[in-house]
Amino acid sequence: MTQALIFDMDGTLFQTDKILEVSLDDAFERLRSQNQWEAETPIEKYREIMGVPLPKVWETLLPDHSLEERERTDAFFLERLIQNIRTGKGGLYPHVQDVFGHLKENGFSIYIASNGLIEYLNAIVDYYRLDQWVTETFSIQHIKSLNKSDLVRHIVDQYGMTSGAVVGDRLSDIHAAKDNGLNSVGCRFDFAREEELAQADVIIEDLLELKTLFPAKKQGIK
C-alpha cells in the first residue's frame, strides 16, 4: 500500500510572492522599453489567475500581443524568476523542511505537482535541497493537456498510489485530488480564494497542521 502526499509548489511550498512582482515588473519593463506596453504592470490581474499554466497567463495578460511576443516575454520572465531564486530572494513557507522530515520519517512518499515549468521547479528544488525528501517533482509540461488532474493521475499511476492527499492553495489542486480519489487539503495562504477553499476536504492555516493530519501511524485525515 502506497500512501503519499502530492504538493503544489507556488503558494503552497514556495512563497512565490517574494519574487513574483519584481520578476513580472522586469518583464513588463522590457515591453515598455520596446514600446509594446504603456500601462502599469498588471500584478493584481496575475494574482487573480495565479496557478494556471504560464501560456494561459500570457494569453490573459497580453491578449493583444502575438504568440511570438508572448513566448519571448514568457522566456524573459522565466529567466528573471530563476535568477531571483538562485540569489535567495524567494523563500519557502514556514515549516516546509520540518513537515517534510516528519512525513519522510513516518513512511509517506512526497511528490510535487506544479503548473510551473521544469526549469523553474528545478531551480527551487535545487536551491532548497528539497530532493532529500521529495521522490519526484512533476511539471505541467509533462502532460499534453496542461491539466492538473491529468498530472496528478500520471503520478498516481506511475507510483501505484492507493491513498493520500493533494495539498494546494487553488481550485485546480482540489479538483486534482477529487478527480483521482484522493483527499484534498486546501492551504489558506497568499493566493488562496475562499470560494475555492470551500471545496477542499480540509483547510489548513499552517503546514505544521499536516503533522497532525498525517501522524506516524498513517491514519490519514481525521
Side-chain angles (χ1 to χ4, degrees), residues 177-218:
K178 295 182 181 298
D179 291 344
N180 289 284
L182 303 174
N183 288 306
S184 58
V185 179
C187 300
R188 187 177 277 126
F189 297 168
D190 295 317
F191 300 104
R193 302 170 72 92
E194 287 301 318
E195 65 271 21
E196 297 181 1
L197 291 178
Q199 299 187 43
D201 295 314
V202 177
I203 300 173
I204 61 174
E205 309 277 349
D206 189 302
L207 289 172
L208 273 180
E209 294 175 56
L210 294 175
K211 295 175 73 171
T212 301
L213 291 172
F214 298 94
K217 293 183 179 180
K218 295 183 167 184

Side-chain angles (χ1 to χ4, degrees), residues 119-178:
E119 188 177 359
Y120 167 75
L121 296 174
N122 287 343
I124 298 172
V125 170
D126 291 345
Y127 186 85
Y128 297 101
R129 300 183 61 232
L130 296 181
D131 54 357
Q132 61 187 303
W133 302 289
V134 176
T135 300
E136 190 169 353
T137 298
F138 293 85
S139 162
I140 201 68
Q141 286 180 291
H142 290 111
I143 298 296
K144 291 183 179 180
S145 67
L146 300 181
N147 181 280
K148 194 69 168 283
S149 293
D150 292 342
L151 181 60
V152 169
R153 185 172 302 113
H154 175 70
I155 300 172
V156 169
D157 291 345
Q158 179 171 327
Y159 282 95
M161 287 178 55
T162 55
S163 62
V166 175
V167 183
D169 65 318
R170 298 307 300 264
L171 191 60
S172 60
D173 304 304
I174 296 168
H175 283 170
K178 295 182 181 298

Side-chain angles (χ1 to χ4, degrees), residues 13-209:
L13 297 176
F14 185 68
Q15 298 184 66
T16 316
D17 209 30
K18 290 189 173 183
I19 62 171
L20 173 64
E21 186 167 351
V22 64
S23 300
L24 194 66
D25 199 44
D26 286 344
F28 276 85
E29 186 58 37
R30 170 185 165 277
L31 290 171
R32 292 186 194 97
S33 71
Q34 298 175 347
N35 296 316
Q36 296 197 55
W37 190 264
E38 296 181 356
E40 294 182 356
T41 302
I43 185 67
E44 291 304 322
K45 185 64 176 177
Y46 194 3
R47 288 175 181 273
E48 292 175 10
I49 60 174
M50 187 71 185
V52 304
L54 277 174
K56 295 184 180 180
V57 166
W58 301 116
E59 286 177 17
T60 303
L61 299 185
L62 300 174
D64 299 324
H65 289 67
S66 67
L67 176 60
E68 291 75 17
E69 185 53 53
R70 290 176 192 163
E71 290 176 345
R72 284 192 290 269
T73 302
D74 182 37
F76 182 80
F77 178 58
L78 180 62
E79 289 177 7
R80 297 306 304 148
L81 285 172
I82 291 173
Q83 179 63 23
N84 285 322
I85 291 166
R86 290 175 175 168
T87 55
K89 293 181 180 178
L92 298 177
Y93 279 95
H95 314 301
V96 169
Q97 292 99 329
D98 184 8
V99 170
F100 276 9
H102 162 83
L103 294 171
K104 190 75 172 179
E105 289 171 7
N106 289 291
F108 292 89
S109 298
I110 301 170
Y111 305 92
I112 293 173
S114 171
N115 282 331
L117 302 183
I118 294 171
E119 188 177 359
Y120 167 75
L121 296 174
N122 287 343
I124 298 172
V125 170
D126 291 345
Y127 186 85
Y128 297 101
R129 300 183 61 232
L130 296 181
D131 54 357
Q132 61 187 303
W133 302 289
V134 176
T135 300
E136 190 169 353
T137 298
F138 293 85
S139 162
I140 201 68
Q141 286 180 291
H142 290 111
I143 298 296
K144 291 183 179 180
S145 67
L146 300 181
N147 181 280
K148 194 69 168 283
S149 293
D150 292 342
L151 181 60
V152 169
R153 185 172 302 113
H154 175 70
I155 300 172
V156 169
D157 291 345
Q158 179 171 327
Y159 282 95
M161 287 178 55
T162 55
S163 62
V166 175
V167 183
D169 65 318
R170 298 307 300 264
L171 191 60
S172 60
D173 304 304
I174 296 168
H175 283 170
K178 295 182 181 298
D179 291 344
N180 289 284
L182 303 174
N183 288 306
S184 58
V185 179
C187 300
R188 187 177 277 126
F189 297 168
D190 295 317
F191 300 104
R193 302 170 72 92
E194 287 301 318
E195 65 271 21
E196 297 181 1
L197 291 178
Q199 299 187 43
D201 295 314
V202 177
I203 300 173
I204 61 174
E205 309 277 349
D206 189 302
L207 289 172
L208 273 180
E209 294 175 56

